[in-house]
Amino acid sequence: LISTVRSALRGRLRQYQMRKSQQQLRESEQRFKSLFEHHPDGIFVRDLSGKLISGNKAIEEITGYTIEELQQEAVPTLAMPEEVGLAPKEFAKTSDGNPKKFRTSSVRKDGSTVEMELAYLPLIINGEITGMHGIARDVTQARNYERRIEHLANHDVLTGLPNRLLLTDRLQQAIDQSRRNGTQTGVLFLDLNRFKQVNDSLGHDLGDLLLEKIASRLKHLVRESDTVARLGGDEFVLVLADLDSIETMAAVAEKVLESVAAPISLAGHELNITTSIGGSVFPKDGHDVATLLKHADLAMYQAKELGSASFRFYDPAMNIKILERLLTESALRRALEKNEFTIYYQPRVCTTHRSIIGVEALVRWKHPEKGLIAPADFIPLAEEIGMISQLGEWVLRTACVQNQAWQNAGLPPIKMAVNLSAQQLHSSGIEKTVASALESSGLNAQYLELEITETSLMQDIDSSYQTLLDIRNTGVSISIDDFGTGYSSLSHIKRLPLNTLKIDKSFIRDIASDRNDAAIVGATIAMARHMDLKVVAEGVTAPAQVRFLMEHACHEMQGYLFSPPLPAAEMGIMLRQGLSRGYEYIGESVLAMW
Ligand code: C2E
Ligand code: MG
Ligand code: MG
């Protein structure tokens, strides 16, 4: 009996266990089914021939098609494993249980594009591969975002053109392609001329518009396979891929010059802007991105020197010359903060009273290696690189302080003449700078004179007029420097609010021997006096010139005969003595006329 009961119980237990495991199986099946149905990723199953067996709700949402529609062969929405480069069967064999992932995009039922990250993994039943599971994730939004970031990182915001980063990439690709095809790659480096002035005078908004217009012109000039990039500021680079000849490149450069130079109308202004272009060619001028860009840049510098709207190919010979210039340029930029400038003073003497009634401030650069450099050797560069206003302001302030210091030391008050460059004259706010230099030094306006060369005055006579008038109204005098070297006539300058006219030294040199020069200088003095202008003769070196100038009643003289420009301390001593050294050499006959 006991054994019967035991076996019955065992049978019950087995039944119970079986029911229990069946129930467990059902539950586990339901769990998987629910995971399959509710998973946010699209999940589907294909058989070994690639036929779609089933799919979940998410796959319908991602594709816009129902499972039944997806099962029809005509609907190409879900990528097949062929896209990984393998037929479904083979895929299943090789994948060896490992999922294969790839990115794909397809068209939704509504026609829009969906981007997916797809993974295929083998479906293994009883140790046999019987099909594939596919898992699809919609990454459209994420990809769009990525693309936007990528675009921002690789493009210039203003013009939408590729930036330096993408340019580097494209140029590298073009070089590789040329290497394979045995062709050349051309690099054109553009820098707009006088863009800074346009930007300063019209404002940055119009400056930006101008850059956009130029960018769009450049884009239309080149082939689809070429690249137009903006490096920033007013610098652009064109990459001409797979060039057949250098002549083609020169022709493109010509087209670019012309296209940029065509008038641009912006907000009611008609603008004319030009560009300078330098070109380098792979493989002749360099084998890598950095060298090609550097050489095109150097060639551009040389094009600038040729004048507006020029194109220049890179030439290795110019390398050293331009590098030297670049070195000077960077040294000059730092010279101001390193306190390397100094001012020399040259006396102006009164023809009638023989006394020093003024000095001219002449700047020098104490170069740490090259010694004292004359202004002719760095002022033009300072103008070109846009630092003349800063330098000029330093000279103005220092000269005013010096003049006041002499007065404070009890020396008879004299006039300080300071040279102004064209850029300073035409920059806005020059009146304020002058007023501030006077105020901070404590110098009275009557002891300051600004010298402006004839040429810079004539650059823009109307705007000069108002500026000069404003300055003159503060009590500061204005003189026209190097008179005779420009092409103005006395009638021209009659309109301007001037006090003094300085006759250029080239006319003074031969007044004692050349009848033409004598006639010109004689007439100039007479007419200037008639216009109530004070006349100063520059570059007086000989007693014979002094005699001539006295006879023609020239007011003042300046030149090596009286004194070369001197450092402040030496000039101070000369002012204390009251006479310049040169008088010793003038001779009895001239002195007798005084
Ligand atoms: P500038 O204003 O006409 O100055 C007179 C120049 O003639 C000075 O040359 C002076 O040293 C030189 N000189 C004076 N007497 C004689 C003479 O008897 N014979 C000869 N052959 N030359 C004489 P420097 O100092 O080399 O200056 C050259 C030019 O540089 C100046 O011509 C002026 O245009 C410019 N410059 C000098 N300092 C400044 C400055 O602070 N700002 C600006 N913008 N220009 C300056
Ligand atoms: Mg001068
Ligand atoms: Mg002069």
Side-chain angles (χ1 to χ4, degrees), residues 147-380:
R147 260 192 295 269
R148 227 185 104 64
I149 300 278
E150 200 174 285
H151 186 87
L152 282 176
N154 283 307
H155 291 82
D156 164 46
V157 180
L158 177 65
T159 59
L161 292 178
N163 62 11
R164 187 185 286 272
L165 202 68
L166 187 53
L167 166 72
T168 309
D169 216 54
R170 296 263 181 93
L171 182 51
Q172 185 60 54
Q173 281 173 24
I175 293 172
D176 294 344
Q177 192 182 344
S178 284
R179 215 175 252 137
R180 282 194 303 274
N181 301 350
T183 53
Q184 310 178 66
T185 295
V187 177
L188 294 176
F189 200 112
L190 277 78
D191 185 291
L192 302 182
N193 300 320
R194 301 165 58 83
F195 175 73
K196 195 179 170 313
Q197 279 103 310
V198 175
N199 211 27
D200 288 348
S201 56
L202 294 181
H204 290 229
D205 289 347
L206 282 189
D208 282 355
L209 271 180
L210 178 67
L211 289 172
E212 284 177 58
K213 290 229 166 174
I214 302 266
S216 104
R217 283 185 183 179
L218 293 177
K219 259 188 296 197
H220 286 104
L221 277 181
V222 296
R223 296 171 303 172
E224 190 79 8
S225 53
D226 296 336
T227 298
V228 180
R230 178 173 174 232
L231 292 191
D234 57 349
E235 286 179 348
F236 296 88
V237 169
L238 270 62
V239 175
L240 311 177
D242 256 339
L243 263 189
D244 50 359
S245 75
I246 289 198
E247 286 72 30
T248 314
M249 173 155 157
V252 174
E254 278 305 319
K255 270 202 308 186
V256 173
L257 287 177
E258 265 175 43
S259 152
V260 172
I264 297 178
S265 46
L266 270 189
H269 299 272
E270 173 110 329
L271 295 178
N272 291 293
I273 191 125
T274 58
T275 182
S276 303
I277 309 178
S280 66
V281 180
F282 167 86
K284 182 172 73 67
D285 302 325
H287 290 94
D288 58 88
V289 169
T291 310
L292 286 168
L293 282 176
K294 188 176 87 188
H295 287 168
D297 190 4
L298 284 174
M300 185 279 294
Y301 259 96
Q302 209 167 55
K304 281 242 185 248
E305 267 167 25
L306 287 178
S308 64
S310 332
F311 166 60
R312 188 80 194 209
F313 273 115
Y314 170 69
D315 164 10
M318 75 195 185
N319 216 334
I320 296 163
K321 206 178 119 207
I322 289 187
L323 275 181
E324 222 164 68
R325 201 194 108 110
L326 288 178
L327 285 180
T328 319
E329 187 178 315
S330 73
L332 187 59
R333 282 187 197 280
R334 278 170 312 183
L336 205 56
E337 57 196 67
K338 284 168 75 186
N339 221 351
E340 289 175 355
F341 292 110
T342 186
I343 303 181
Y344 277 41
Y345 299 90
Q346 185 178 36
R348 259 160 69 169
V349 302
C350 168
T351 314
T352 350
H353 300 103
R354 290 192 261 166
S355 55
I356 298 175
I357 50 173
V359 294
E360 177 173 5
L362 296 157
V363 69
R364 302 293 175 252
W365 179 11
K366 290 177 294 176
H367 194 283
E369 286 131 39
K370 298 182 186 156
L372 212 58
I373 303 183
D377 294 328
F378 64 87
I379 295 262

Side-chain angles (χ1 to χ4, degrees), residues 360 419 451 453 481-483 502 504-505 538:
E360 177 173 5
N419 293 284
E451 295 194 1
T453 64
D481 203 358
D482 300 349
F483 185 74
K502 297 184 79 173
D504 190 66
K505 46 185 173 289
E538 287 184 331

Side-chain angles (χ1 to χ4, degrees), residues 342-344 346-347 360-364 373-380 383 388 391-396 417-424 451-453 481-483 502-506 508-509 537-542 545 558-565:
T342 186
I343 303 181
Y344 277 41
Q346 185 178 36
E360 177 173 5
L362 296 157
V363 69
R364 302 293 175 252
I373 303 183
D377 294 328
F378 64 87
I379 295 262
E383 283 178 334
I388 189 67
L391 173 59
E393 184 172 339
W394 177 85
V395 173
L396 176 69
V418 175
N419 293 284
L420 274 201
S421 83
Q423 268 179 42
Q424 279 176 282
E451 295 194 1
I452 298 153
T453 64
D481 203 358
D482 300 349
F483 185 74
K502 297 184 79 173
I503 304 175
D504 190 66
K505 46 185 173 289
S506 58
I508 304 300
R509 196 179 54 220
E538 287 184 331
V540 177
T541 49
Q545 294 163 337
Q558 184 180 344
Y560 294 162
L561 181 65
F562 307 103
S563 169

Side-chain angles (χ1 to χ4, degrees), residues 130-141:
T130 59
M132 286 158 280
H133 262 127
I135 302 172
R137 175 167 294 178
D138 183 348
V139 290
T140 315
Q141 254 190 339

